[in-house]
Amino acid sequence: MQPFWKTKTLAESLCDGCGRCCLHKLRDDETGAVWWTNVSCRLLDTTACRCTRYAQRQRLVPDCVRLTPDGLAEIDWLPPSCAYRRLQEGRGLAWWHPLVSGDPATVHEAGISVRGRAVDERRAGPLEHHLVEWPGRSPRTRRRKTATAKSDGGAAPPTAA
């Protein structure tokens, strides 16, 4: 039997709840390069790493991107840890993804999410003052806590996503 994420389509939710895609990005007009910030959309709950107004997000934030199978190839700024990007590139889901771990907290335990690292756009000031590299890099993950690791047979996950 194939894992759940290999049987689902992009239209079905594979979001890991990291919140990285909800961070503001700047694009260089001349080179097309993408620059990440640690500034989150005002609708992102930076503790839960979920949109507080998901159903209304596109009305409230018109440039909020909606992931679709046809549009995914056009989006060049999804973080390397993103499940949608990983699957499009032929990679599987990482050990910390809730669909693999069975626990939505592993994305935070592994240090993948924006929890504790994001600044709300209402308090941030100019985006240029908040340029960071970590959201656009493949994350170096933390090991699971011992109690959690024991619950899955004691196997420690790899240290890289």
Side-chain angles (χ1 to χ4, degrees), residues 20-156:
R20 287 179 182 225
C21 64
C22 298
L23 296 175
H24 289 283
K25 287 138 308 266
L26 300 172
R27 185 174 299 273
D28 186 307
D29 290 335
E30 292 179 20
T31 67
V34 174
W35 298 92
W36 287 84
T37 74
N38 64 347
V39 178
S40 70
C41 169
R42 68 185 176 278
L43 300 181
L44 183 68
D45 174 334
T46 57
T47 300
C49 297
R50 297 286 182 185
C51 183
T52 60
R53 304 282 301 275
Y54 187 79
Q56 301 86 25
R57 76 191 190 285
Q58 300 211 271
R59 181 176 51 80
L60 299 170
V61 182
D63 62 346
C64 181
V65 173
R66 187 171 171 203
L67 292 178
T68 64
D70 294 334
L72 187 59
E74 307 280 324
I75 301 172
D76 65 348
W77 50 259
L78 285 174
S81 58
C82 176
Y84 295 104
R85 179 175 172 180
R86 289 179 65 96
L87 295 181
Q88 182 192 40
E89 294 173 348
R91 299 183 289 150
L93 298 180
W95 69 266
W96 45 262
H97 193 287
L99 293 175
V100 176
S101 70
D103 182 358
T106 54
V107 71
H108 308 298
E109 290 173 8
I112 305 302
S113 78
V114 302
R115 182 183 283 173
R117 299 194 280 181
V119 177
D120 186 290
E121 71 182 12
R122 292 169 289 200
R123 294 189 302 255
L127 293 177
E128 295 81 8
H129 296 171
H130 294 275
L131 296 177
V132 293
E133 294 182 1
W134 61 264
R137 287 188 174 169
S138 291
R140 294 196 59 190
T141 61
R142 298 182 204 126
R143 291 191 176 268
R144 291 178 82 176
K145 296 178 184 171
T146 304
T148 306
K150 285 181 183 174
S151 70
D152 70 358

